[in-house]
Amino acid sequence: MKTIYAIAPLIETPGLTQAEGQKRLDPLSDGDFKIISLFLDRGPSSVENEIDEALCVPNIIEKGLWAKRQGAAGIFIDCMLDPGVRALRTALDIPVVRPAETAFHLAATLGHQFGIIDIGGDTAAMVEEQVTRYGL
């Protein structure tokens, strides 16, 4: 069975724990793949602006390198701002998937336009930059 690690770029909080994250992912595991939830040891409690993103990336890289040593078949960054993905892709020889890039490209195949519901005002500029970076 292959293992995929889903790295949430935030620390555990009373409202969101590693166990709850794992419960959310368990139905996606099957006989071929097991998905394991990882939270950060240090970093922000959410990623809502450039500072939060900068604070979470070092531990995302550490978690990604650790997952590779554990035999990970791939890594999924569990955040629509896709923090740390480019750095992990540089460091690792396994797939590192980012949800925004994947979702945006899928949406672009379904029509000529798509919209994004964002979590707040601070991230709007970051999301616009992502859309441009992904060529959409």
Side-chain angles (χ1 to χ4, degrees):
M1 179 181 311
K2 295 181 180 179
T3 303
I4 297 171
Y5 286 84
I7 302 173
L10 44 94
I11 58 171
E12 289 185 276
T13 62
L16 185 58
T17 66
Q18 178 129 354
E20 291 167 333
Q22 190 61 50
K23 253 195 273 186
R24 183 174 50 95
L25 295 174
D26 281 343
L28 302 175
S29 296
D30 62 22
D32 295 325
F33 288 94
K34 179 178 176 117
I35 303 172
I36 297 177
S37 175
L38 290 178
F39 277 61
L40 301 183
D41 300 320
R42 60 191 176 286
S45 58
S46 67
V47 181
E48 298 180 18
N49 55 50
E50 299 278 353
I51 293 171
D52 294 336
E53 182 177 28
L55 290 172
C56 72
V57 170
N59 202 217
I60 288 174
I61 294 167
E62 291 170 12
K63 292 289 184 178
L65 294 171
W66 177 87
K68 170 66 175 165
R69 289 192 302 273
Q70 302 310 303
I75 294 174
F76 174 79
I77 301 300
D78 195 3
C79 176
M80 285 300 286
L81 290 174
D82 299 340
V85 172
R86 291 189 295 182
L88 279 179
R89 285 182 175 172
T90 300
L92 301 174
D93 61 353
I94 57 175
V96 179
V97 179
R98 45 183 159 202
E101 179 181 39
T102 304
F104 296 171
H105 277 92
L106 176 61
T109 68
L110 299 174
H112 297 290
Q113 296 179 356
F114 63 91
I116 299 164
I117 299 173
D118 200 356
I119 63 169
D122 285 352
T123 57
M126 296 170 74
V127 172
E128 286 180 27
E129 182 182 310
Q130 281 179 298
V131 172
T132 301
R133 184 176 42 224
Y134 302 152
L136 301 169

